[in-house]
Amino acid sequence: MEIHNKYLLNGLSEFFKIFSDPTRLMILDVLLTGEKYVSEIAEIIDTSQSAVSHQLKNLRMANLVKHEKIGHSVKYSIVDEHIEVILKYGIEHILEGVKHEKNKF
């Protein structure tokens, strides 16, 4: 197995920090179903449009989502399938832990 340099690992640490916010995770989860406008995302996750816009800015800066301006509105989507895979495996890992915890009792 390859040992990675500290700069790459620091970048990876910053990358994973973006997943530490529940609102950002909810936004990514919503976008896994397809591209959405800010207002649609806000309604689905029951959060203000300004809060969603703020988190979308963070997600854009981390290169996790992309946007397309359509008139005065902006539509967002996931950048690529890597993000879906990361979320999928993260959720599977959490569910596996829950399953093991239930089996302890």
Side-chain angles (χ1 to χ4, degrees), residues 2-101:
E2 180 182 349
I3 302 297
H4 297 95
N5 70 50
K6 68 179 180 178
Y7 300 105
L8 181 60
L9 294 175
N10 283 336
L12 185 61
S13 173
E14 291 302 313
F15 174 75
F16 279 120
K17 283 180 187 176
I18 202 76
F19 294 100
S20 69
D21 181 87
T23 301
R24 287 192 291 262
L25 286 173
M26 286 188 283
I27 292 168
L28 290 171
D29 193 45
V30 167
L31 291 176
L32 288 175
T33 65
E35 60 185 11
K36 303 273 187 292
Y37 292 103
V38 175
S39 59
E40 293 175 302
I41 298 167
E43 184 177 330
I44 292 168
I45 68 170
D46 194 28
T47 304
S48 72
Q49 286 190 29
S50 63
V52 170
S53 292
H54 175 73
Q55 295 304 341
L56 283 166
K57 178 182 176 190
N58 291 328
L59 292 168
R60 270 196 338 265
M61 289 173 46
N63 197 32
L64 298 180
V65 300
K66 58 186 175 182
H67 67 286
E68 177 185 358
K69 194 159 178 126
I70 302 170
H72 293 293
S73 299
V74 181
K75 210 171 220 187
Y76 286 86
S77 59
I78 299 289
V79 167
D80 60 38
E81 70 279 352
H82 295 109
I83 308 311
E84 182 174 0
V85 169
I86 291 165
L87 293 172
K88 175 186 172 207
Y89 282 123
I91 289 169
E92 285 178 9
H93 179 73
I94 298 302
L95 291 174
E96 191 68 24
V98 169
K99 186 170 89 174
H100 287 297
E101 283 298 314

